[in-house]
Amino acid sequence: EDQVTQSPEALRLQEGESSSLNCSYTVSGLRGLFWYRQDPGKGPEFLFTLYSAGEEKEKERLKATLTKKESFLHITAPKPEDSATYLCAGGGSGDYKLSFGAGTTVTVRA
Amino acid sequence: DAGITQSPRHKVTETGTPVTLRCHQTENHRYMYWYRQDPGHGLRLIHYSYGVKDTDKGEVSDGYSVSRSKTEDFLLTLESATSSQTSVYFCAISDFTRDLHYEQYFGPGTRLTVT
């Protein structure tokens, strides 16, 4: 059974204090590792797809990386508007379903 | 929200009553999904569809049924609502691209309370 685990559950940062979120996965025949951002009361918003170990993608202050067992979401010099819950999900071979982690809630204080 | 709407956005219903949630997309995407999101559990797949009249069960399908008679609409029905089905329900869509991307795009959600 595919499994995706995120840590930590919650992360409190000062503005400008860089940090990383972890996503560990066991997904059979990984086809893609996805990162989403979710604001309170809204649906998840797609951020990145990573397909192979060693791949990196960046968007503003966010950078996602992928190894054979983990993905990291690095937040560089965060601002209060980066406060959100970040979800990762793995997609395996054979179908088009995703397995989601429980998320990491990031709070950035000014 | 990538051309995805959900209705209703909020609903309060009583135990034992039937409830239907609607997801409508304007993107002509082939795949549609229904998830529920609960604290501590993250997003869990209820049912999904890979084409008109083609549906399959997800990991938490008991007590739910779905129908897809048109590409743009995917309905989720709770035949007899229970308090354990109080949750936030999200619809998502996806499709192939030239690079075989299949990221899912989510609707705004429906908050359902069963009393």
Side-chain angles (χ1 to χ4, degrees):
Chain A
E1 181 180 330
D2 295 343
Q3 197 160 10
V4 177
T5 304
Q6 292 186 247
S7 62
E9 289 185 15
L11 190 60
R12 294 176 65 85
L13 301 172
Q14 283 294 131
E15 184 172 4
E17 178 189 1
S18 301
S19 189
S20 295
L21 284 57
N22 177 264
C23 172
S24 299
Y25 65 89
T26 52
V27 176
S28 177
L30 184 79
R31 294 182 56 151
L33 191 291
F34 303 82
W35 282 97
Y36 289 83
R37 170 191 171 123
Q38 186 174 23
D39 293 305
K42 296 192 175 183
E45 174 189 350
F46 171 71
L47 292 173
F48 305 110
T49 309
L50 302 166
Y51 292 100
S52 57
E55 188 175 2
E56 299 182 350
K57 288 195 176 172
E58 290 188 62
K59 181 178 181 179
E60 296 180 357
R61 294 174 293 282
L62 301 177
K63 178 179 173 181
T65 62
L66 182 65
T67 73
K68 289 187 177 180
K69 294 183 178 180
E70 300 174 300
S71 179
F72 295 92
L73 184 66
H74 308 277
I75 310 178
T76 302
K79 298 181 177 182
E81 52 262 43
D82 294 321
S83 297
T85 296
Y86 292 88
L87 305 171
C88 78
S93 61
D95 59 41
Y96 297 93
K97 297 181 289 186
L98 298 181
S99 296
F100 280 85
T104 295
T105 299
V106 175
T107 304
V108 183
R109 294 171 292 176
Chain B
D1 292 322
I4 309 168
T5 56
Q6 293 185 230
S7 59
R9 295 293 313 280
H10 301 272
K11 185 169 183 67
V12 179
T13 191
E14 293 184 349
T15 299
T17 60
V19 176
T20 295
L21 309 183
R22 180 183 184 234
C23 176
H24 178 79
Q25 60 145 328
T26 57
E27 306 295 322
N28 200 36
H29 278 20
R30 186 180 325 179
Y31 297 89
M32 298 185 75
Y33 310 80
W34 277 108
Y35 291 89
R36 60 178 289 173
Q37 188 174 42
D38 305 288
H41 288 279
L43 284 160
R44 292 181 291 175
L45 183 66
I46 304 171
H47 282 279
Y48 68 105
S49 169
Y50 45 96
V52 173
K53 297 186 179 180
D54 292 322
T55 64
D56 206 347
K57 295 179 179 180
E59 62 179 300
V60 290
S61 58
D62 287 348
Y64 301 94
S65 62
V66 290
S67 65
R68 191 171 179 197
S69 58
K70 297 186 289 185
T71 298
E72 58 266 36
D73 289 327
F74 193 31
L75 304 180
L76 177 70
T77 297
L78 291 67
E79 299 292 347
S80 177
T82 68
S83 58
S84 64
Q85 294 175 312
T86 292
S87 187
V88 181
Y89 292 85
F90 288 101
C91 173
I93 64 174
S94 70
D95 211 333
F96 295 100
T97 67
R98 288 179 299 173
D99 298 322
L100 294 181
H101 293 196
Y102 62 112
E103 57 266 13
Q104 296 181 13
Y105 296 93
F106 285 81
T110 294
R111 182 172 295 276
L112 176 68
T113 302
V114 183
T115 61

